[in-house]
């Protein structure tokens, strides 16, 4: 009987440490690329944090009933967690902060940050509004979660470039994402 409390404490500690283990960004991306090759899709990588309201809005928009099938049919969507507050650092995917920099992110880029890769890891598009042929290093505006008319138009342009987007799907994406501005 005297060992029961000790056993319970050990079980609790084990379960707590297991629940705080997150997959590395490299492991997640490796699996995403394999699935993308198998399903002939591109990879939509979205960085977020639990405190980010705009991240939740973007997730909700992509999961909206009128848009979900489009995103599921065209992309392997990957969610990577970065920039968590001190008490939630255990939610971050190890290596995600380095990976974001590899694909045009900047230190403190803002969230959500996203980009689209082909199945081999080649960058196809990112969350910057590329006006008049500017490169990413020319301080382009970041879209983040598309909401304004200009942001949603730039987002739709990216979707058209990286997938098959019908007129009906385009209309649904515009309608759902424009609600984010309200």
């Amino acid at each position: 009987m005297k060992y029961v409390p000790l056993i319970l404490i050990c079980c609790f500690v084990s379960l707590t440490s297991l629940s705080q283990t997150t997959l590395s960004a490299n492991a997640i991306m490796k699996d995403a690329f394999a699935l993308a090759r198998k399903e002939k899709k591109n990879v939509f990588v979205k960085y977020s944090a639990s405190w980010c309201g705009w991240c939740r809005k973007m997730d909700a928009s992509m999961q909206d009933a009128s848009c979900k099938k489009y995103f599921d049919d065209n992309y392997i969507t990957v969610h990577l967690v970065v920039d968590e507050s001190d008490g939630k650092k255990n939610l971050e995917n190890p290596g995600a902060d380095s990976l974001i920099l590899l694909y045009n992110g900047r230190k403190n880029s803002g969230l959500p940050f996203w980009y689209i890769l082909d199945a081999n890891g080649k960058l196809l598009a990112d969350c910057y509004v590329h006006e008049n042929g500017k490169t990413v290093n020319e301080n382009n505006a970041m879209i983040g979660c598309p909401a304004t008319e200009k942001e949603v138009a730039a987002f739709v342009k990216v979707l058209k470039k990286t997938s098959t987007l019908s007129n009906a799907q385009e209309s649904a994406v515009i309608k759902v994402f424009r609600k984010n501005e309200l």
Side-chain angles (χ1 to χ4, degrees):
M1 278 306 277
K2 63 182 180 181
Y3 294 108
V4 171
L6 182 60
I7 292 170
L8 290 174
I9 290 171
C10 288
C11 289
F12 177 77
V13 170
S14 295
L15 289 173
T16 302
S17 64
L18 285 175
S19 69
Q20 293 180 355
T21 303
T22 55
L23 290 174
S24 74
N26 287 339
I28 292 169
M29 295 305 296
K30 181 181 175 186
D31 290 346
F33 289 139
L35 189 57
R37 283 190 289 277
K38 180 181 174 188
E39 296 184 11
K40 296 179 179 18
K41 296 179 182 179
N42 289 323
V43 181
F44 192 112
V45 183
K46 185 181 142 305
Y47 293 83
S48 60
S50 64
W51 52 261
C52 176
W54 283 104
C55 299
R56 287 190 295 280
K57 284 184 178 189
M58 186 162 185
D59 287 340
S61 296
M62 291 175 75
Q63 292 296 313
D64 185 271
S66 62
C67 295
K68 183 178 180 0
K69 182 171 176 16
Y70 161 74
F71 284 103
D72 289 347
D73 287 350
N74 288 279
Y75 302 101
I76 302 301
T77 302
V78 172
H79 298 270
L80 296 175
V81 179
V82 294
D83 298 336
E84 278 295 343
S85 55
D86 289 338
K88 295 188 177 186
K89 290 289 187 188
N90 62 306
L91 299 176
E92 292 183 1
N93 298 103
D97 53 347
S98 298
L99 193 60
I100 198 172
L101 298 174
L102 184 63
Y103 292 104
N104 295 332
R106 301 181 183 110
K107 189 73 173 153
N108 302 317
S109 287
L111 295 175
F113 184 87
W114 54 266
Y115 50 78
I116 299 171
L117 306 170
D118 72 9
N120 297 310
K122 179 183 174 198
L123 181 66
L124 300 176
D126 58 35
C127 61
Y128 295 103
V129 178
H130 295 273
E131 294 178 351
N132 304 320
K134 289 182 182 177
T135 65
V136 74
N137 296 324
E138 297 178 54
N139 296 322
N140 294 298
M142 189 181 86
I143 298 170
C145 175
T148 68
E149 187 174 343
K150 182 178 177 180
E151 291 167 344
V152 173
F155 186 57
V156 166
K157 186 175 178 181
V158 165
L159 298 179
K160 285 181 177 180
K161 177 182 174 184
T162 61
S163 71
T164 304
L165 182 68
S166 71
N167 289 339
Q169 291 166 330
E170 178 180 345
S171 295
V173 167
I174 291 169
K175 182 178 178 183
V176 168
F177 279 86
R178 285 291 289 132
K179 290 179 186 175
N180 291 323
E181 188 176 37
L182 305 174

